[in-house]
Amino acid sequence: MNTEIVSAVRAGLACSGSEADDSSQTGATALVRAESSEGCAKAIKLLREGEAVALPTETVYGLAADALNPDAVAKIFEAKERPRFDPLIVHLPKREALDEIAIAESQLARDLIENFWPGPLTIIFRKRDIVPDIVTAGLETVAVRMSAHPVFREVVSAVNRPLAAPSANRFGRVSPTTAQHVLDELEGRIPLIVDGGATEHGIESTIVRIVDGVIEVSRWGPITEEILHQFGEVRERRSTSMIIAPGQLPTHYAPKTRLIMIKRLQDFSAMPGKRTGALSLSPAAGTGDPGSPRPTATTTTADFAAVRYLSERGDLREAAANLFRMLRELDAENLDLIVAERVPEKGIGAAINDRLERALNRCTD
Ligand code: TXA
Ligand code: MG
């Protein structure tokens, strides 16, 4: 199967149907820019026909299909090689569509929707019968969100159906934050990728559910604990012994190269003859004082075959946006080991550390 890329000029650009088509063919992969006449129209047509299509969201790229069409949803599982027991997030065309697929009784949930939709917050509700079992892996609940990305919004509004869309990577791999990442993961497996540039947040949405009036978080993301606290009590949902959601499994976000996580990069002793890569928040990170330079220590950046700083100025939002791209870059450097330094646990830093922890174990696929 051929894979096409439809490019938007920059992140945040919605589709346009007015300009000339500048699609090109490179090997098995056709490239069609979003601002071309084909733009999102092709995605809309394919989704209506029950195909799975990759689209940008403000978090990471998603692989979307009509959530109410089980055959279409099955194509997502096939392309990703995702086990059927792992449920998908459903993306709404508009807020009012929530009541068609879920039972949203909690006022607190309604407050969160009011404040964060469209945006990077996924909320788990009791599902209605209309949602096929394949979407929820047979669960009585459904995870729902509404993307704020203009390209995604335009497509889902035109299709006017809820779209199931997990991250557009093969199962067990790092989520894609550019169309090229999607291509690397799914080339030949899906008919179309719509390119909206690099995604804004770079990590997946925060996932919550309301339990007894408390906001329970099962995945940290761009909507942080500090933000959620303004709406009520927040607690982390502890995974039960029966793990049914590989998003909570330790290997879910793994690069191929072995990765370890340490508190301070300068405490790491490089192994002679081994190619080691370093991932750190900024040149000044890990010193205890964000303003001070790295102390002269046993390890300097010269000891590493490759170094990536998530944000030169130590900005955690920028760091999150760069995280998966830099993990992919280090993964491509033929390293024996990646040493990642913990980032401060505040704000979105908690989500960054969470994704690094999940990457600790090598993935086997
Ligand atoms: O930002 C995002 O959320 C991206 C974009 C594309 O929307 N999507 C995403 O989907 O990260 P995915 O499938 O890669 O991660 C969704 C997580 C999985 O860990 C899944 O197990 C969990 O949500 N999940 C989905 N439905 C659930 C449910 N009913 N109960 C508990 N967990 C659920
Ligand atoms: Mg995923």
Side-chain angles (χ1 to χ4, degrees), residues 80 167 169 175 252:
K80 281 178 61 84
S167 52
N169 50 280
S175 290
H252 190 55

Side-chain angles (χ1 to χ4, degrees), residues 60 80 82 86 166-169 173-176 204 219 247 252-253:
V60 299
K80 281 178 61 84
R82 180 172 174 126
D86 190 8
S167 52
N169 50 280
R173 300 292 312 281
V174 175
S175 290
E204 306 86 349
R219 183 174 72 186
H252 190 55
Y253 298 92

Side-chain angles (χ1 to χ4, degrees), residues 57 59-63 80 82 86-89 91 122 124 135-136 139 141-143 145 165-169 175 203-205 207 209 218-219 244-248 252-253:
T57 83
T59 55
V60 299
Y61 275 74
L63 181 58
K80 281 178 61 84
R82 180 172 174 126
D86 190 8
L88 307 180
I89 294 175
H91 297 60
T122 297
I124 296 174
V135 172
T136 63
L139 294 174
T141 55
V142 60
R145 89 175 188 96
S167 52
N169 50 280
S175 290
I203 53 171
E204 306 86 349
S205 62
I207 303 181
R209 76 184 85 197
S218 52
R219 183 174 72 186
I244 44 84
Q248 276 80 59
H252 190 55
Y253 298 92

